[in-house]
Amino acid sequence: MDVIVGQELLGTETEADLSEWLVEDGSEVTAGQAIAELETSKVQVEVVSPATGTITYVAAEGDVVEPESIIARVN
């Protein structure tokens, strides 16, 4: 399952920095677990895993992401 940056996370912002991964690439995560932090010019928000499984990064820390960007996959 793809981990997608939803517009609801960014509010009115059109992009954010992927400031930090909170889990290691290849680790096991559970649905609802905070896995990454995004930072906009106004706020810092957490991205949660949509499913339980093994996470594989698609984006790197420091990448600029837009709404609907895929930042990871959970298999």
Side-chain angles (χ1 to χ4, degrees), residues 16-65:
D17 293 328
L18 198 169
S19 57
E20 181 179 9
W21 283 106
L22 303 176
V23 297
E24 296 291 323
D25 191 28
S27 65
E28 294 294 317
V29 298
T30 58
Q33 179 181 354
I35 57 172
E37 289 184 347
L38 301 178
E39 187 171 333
T40 71
S41 61
K42 297 178 182 174
V43 296
Q44 189 166 12
V45 295
E46 291 182 340
V47 178
V48 299
S49 176
T52 297
T54 303
I55 190 166
T56 303
Y57 296 169
V58 173
E61 288 183 357
D63 283 357
V64 175
V65 296

Side-chain angles (χ1 to χ4, degrees), residues 2-6 10 14 58-59 64-72:
D2 293 335
V3 179
I4 300 171
V5 176
L10 303 183
T14 57
V58 173
V64 175
V65 296
E66 299 175 347
E68 307 308 320
S69 295
I70 297 170
I71 61 169

